[in-house]
Each structure stands twice: as structure tokens, then as C-alpha cells.
Amino acid sequence: MSKVKYYYDPDTLSYRKIEPKKSRKYRNLFFFLLGSFLFGFLGLIVLLNTNFLNTPKELSLEREVRNYELQFEILNRKMDQMEQVLGNIEDRDNNIYRLYFEANPIPEEQRRAGFGGVNRYKSLEGFNNSEIIVDATRRLDIIQKQMVIQSKSLDEIAKLAEEKEKLLAAIPAIQPVRNEDLTRMASGYGWRSDPFTKARKMHRGMDFTAPRGTPIYATGDGKVIRADNRSSGYGKHIRIEHGYGYMTLYAHLSKYNVSVGQKVKRGDLIGFVGNTGRSEAPHLHYEVWKDDDRINPINFYYGSLTAEEFENMLKFANQENQSLD
């Protein structure tokens, strides 16, 4: 209830009640309503910008968005780890594996190349979090491409390793007659005195003196392409094709233990020492061919001789003596 106001009237020497004017009442009412409207509007704006008036569905969607943002953050951390691991694999691939197998390294620009042409991420644009989604998707695409390139590289390395293994198995790498079976290493590769003409001529193999019937072993993996006595001077002999340009010849045999077309492994028994053909005494004449040229066999015994045994063989092989064939 509003207070009643009075004023002192000096003429009547009494208090008189103050009657408010109607215009003043209307003005006060107008300002009160205007103030109420302004305060109410401002309050509504404040409330609309807070969570107090959000519906349960809106609150649920907000929580879902925050959860997605957290998941994208975790995904980015995992992609950081994947990029680091993949980088280490790529480094080993270029600087160890491909280097060892004499393959060209994969250029960095090829590994890191992006995707040109049409915009692959147009369907992901236009949303509140489009930048996060596009960035994560682009990184995943690049990682996937790097993994495909690395996978193909490792497939190539595996193939090269398999070929390298076959090459190492095919190269003649052991002595065709065991040391304990030898009488002596009679003659090496080089200029020697012919046992029949006594003339100095090039001896393009190595002679191993051993009793008749001594086992002879294949010096590398390969295929027997000849086992006959139809080559002048060699008598009964065997030729093994090893691939990669290598071929070995074993001459003056007494008998064969293989046949033409047979595949052999390094160390397989292929024949026996004899004295057939143009030969002065029982021995094995052994030759190594590379790309149709006869080369010094002494460079191919790393798989069966110790350093001391190789040094002794080298000393005897370099003596310019008389050959046995």
C-alpha cells in the first residue's frame, strides 16, 4: 500500500493531504512497464546464452560433440605414433634393406606425395567441426598411401632377398674334392708346362690329385647340362649350369653319379676321380665359367676352407709347375 503524503498549509495552519496528479500516475506506470520489459528482455538474452534453458536433447548433443572432439584428439595422437613408426620403417627400408640388396631408395617426395586434382573432402566441408574432420581424414589417407608404398617396397625386398639367397646358393663356393681326400693340389690356374708337349700354355682350371674313385662334389646349386666324354681332352666330364652366368666343369672322371637334366645342391656327390681323356695321372680338373669365360677357381672356395688352408692352396696354385692335363 502506497504511503499517503501531506504538506503543511500556513494559511489554515493545518496539514493537508497531497493528491497526486493523474498524468504523473500514468507516467510512473509507463516507466515501470518499460523498465520491466527491458530487464526481462536482457534476462532472456542472458538465459538463452547459458545452459539453463537448454533442452535435454540439446544437452545430449553437446555432450556427444564434446565426446567426438575428444575422440578426434585421441585419433590424432595415434596418427602421430603411426607416422613415427612408419618413418622409422621407411628409414630402415631406404638405408639398410634396399641398400643391402642394391635397390634404389624410394624418393621422399614419392612417399610424402599428396592427392592432386579434385577436392576429395568436399562432402566433409560446411559443418561446425569440418576443419578437424578434414584434417584427420587427410592424414589417414596419406598414412594409408605411405603404408601401401612401404608394403610394395617390402614385397620387392623379399623378392630380392629370395633372389639373393638363390644366387648365394648357386655361386660355386666349396672345393670339389675334400682336403682329407687329396694327395696334393697339383696345379693352379695360369701359365703351366704341358705334360705331353712340355710347351708353356695357359692352364684354365685347377688340378686336384687324388686316388681313383675319390668322391667329387657339386660346388653350387644347379642343373647338370652335360655328363659325357664327347669333349676333346676332358674325357668323362660333368658340366653344371648354376644360373646367373655361372657354370662349372669337372673333368677326367672315372664314373658319374648324376645324369643330364638332374638338379643338384651344393655338396651333392656327382662323380668320382679318374684318369680319362688327356690326363697324365688320376686327378680332377676343375673349371669355373662366368659369362662364357673361364676364370680362376681359387676365388670360389670361401665356403669350405679356413684362412690357413686357403693360404696354403694359394701358395701351391701360384707355383708355375707342370699341369696334369
Side-chain angles (χ1 to χ4, degrees):
M1 186 173 181
S2 60
K3 294 181 179 180
V4 178
K5 295 183 179 180
Y6 296 89
Y7 73 96
Y8 181 73
D9 187 355
D11 295 331
T12 60
L13 299 177
S14 63
Y15 288 97
R16 301 178 66 89
K17 185 178 180 181
I18 299 175
E19 298 289 342
K21 297 180 179 179
K22 288 185 178 182
S23 61
R24 185 179 182 90
K25 287 183 178 181
Y26 292 138
R27 185 182 62 184
N28 290 341
L29 178 62
F30 171 76
F31 282 117
F32 173 77
L33 294 175
L34 179 61
S36 299
F37 173 78
L38 290 176
F39 279 111
F41 180 74
L42 292 175
L44 180 63
I45 292 176
V46 172
L47 288 174
L48 289 175
N49 285 278
T50 62
N51 293 328
F52 293 113
L53 295 182
N54 285 356
T55 65
K57 185 175 181 180
E58 289 173 332
L59 292 175
S60 175
L61 288 174
E62 285 184 6
R63 285 195 297 269
E64 191 172 346
V65 169
R66 285 196 298 270
N67 181 58
Y68 282 138
E69 290 175 347
L70 176 61
Q71 294 301 320
F72 271 107
E73 184 179 349
I74 295 173
L75 178 62
N76 279 317
R77 291 177 184 174
K78 289 182 178 179
M79 286 192 290
D80 289 339
Q81 295 174 351
M82 291 171 63
E83 287 171 341
Q84 184 178 0
V85 172
L86 191 56
N88 291 334
I89 295 174
E90 291 171 348
D91 183 64
R92 290 198 300 271
D93 182 42
N94 272 352
N95 299 311
I96 299 178
Y97 309 141
R98 302 185 71 83
L99 185 65
Y100 176 77
F101 292 106
E102 300 176 356
N104 292 327
I106 297 177
E108 187 71 13
E109 54 270 19
Q110 182 179 341
R111 292 185 184 274
R112 299 286 181 267
F115 301 91
V118 66
N119 183 4
R120 298 164 57 92
Y121 314 106
K122 189 173 182 179
S123 61
L124 302 176
E125 296 175 350
F127 302 99
N128 291 336
N129 296 304
S130 289
E131 185 177 348
I132 297 174
I133 299 171
V134 169
D135 181 63
T137 307
R138 183 184 291 111
R139 289 185 69 185
L140 280 173
D141 285 344
I142 293 175
I143 290 173
Q144 184 180 20
K145 181 181 179 182
Q146 289 177 251
M147 291 179 68
V148 169
I149 293 174
Q150 186 58 54
S151 177
K152 290 181 178 179
S153 177
L154 291 177
D155 288 343
E156 182 184 354
I157 292 299
K159 188 175 181 180
L160 289 172
E162 184 179 351
E163 286 298 315
K164 192 92 169 183
E165 186 177 356
K166 291 179 181 177
L167 170 62
L168 293 175
I171 293 176
I174 63 173
Q175 199 169 276
V177 180
R178 294 183 300 187
N179 267 343
E180 54 267 31
D181 295 334
L182 287 177
T183 304
R184 64 190 177 96
M185 208 290 291
S187 181
Y189 181 95
W191 291 97
R192 297 293 182 268
S193 175
D194 186 280
F196 299 100
T197 67
K198 306 304 179 183
R200 191 167 179 266
K201 69 178 238 182
M202 188 65 180
H203 185 245
R204 300 188 181 277
M206 294 187 73
D207 292 342
F208 297 91
T209 303
R212 186 188 303 271
T214 298
I216 299 170
Y217 303 97
T219 57
D221 293 3
K223 180 180 179 181
V224 178
I225 58 172
R226 287 188 65 172
D228 57 61
N229 62 353
R230 297 191 303 271
S231 188
S232 177
Y234 287 129
K236 289 184 177 180
H237 75 291
I238 293 171
R239 301 188 192 201
I240 298 177
E241 183 73 54
H242 300 280
Y244 307 98
Y246 288 98
M247 191 267 291
T248 52
L249 183 149
Y250 313 78
H252 311 305
L253 278 59
S254 60
K255 60 179 180 178
Y256 313 110
N257 195 53
V258 291
S259 56
V260 175
Q262 181 177 335
K263 291 184 178 180
V264 295
K265 294 286 187 181
R266 180 183 292 144
D268 284 354
L269 176 64
I270 60 173
F272 302 90
V273 170
N275 191 30
T276 58
R278 192 176 184 274
S279 172
E280 188 179 57
H283 74 288
L284 169 68
H285 176 80
Y286 173 65
E287 294 180 0
V288 175
W289 294 60
K290 178 69 168 75
D291 298 327
D292 297 325
D293 287 327
R294 285 176 286 186
I295 57 179
N296 195 342
I298 202 167
N299 298 317
F300 293 88
Y301 299 138
Y302 57 85
S304 60
L305 299 180
T306 65
E308 184 179 355
E309 289 171 336
F310 182 79
E311 186 177 351
N312 290 332
M313 173 177 282
L314 189 61
K315 181 175 67 175
F316 287 114
N318 287 333
Q319 292 177 358
E320 194 168 329
N321 54 8
Q322 178 178 289
S323 65
L324 294 177
D325 46 36

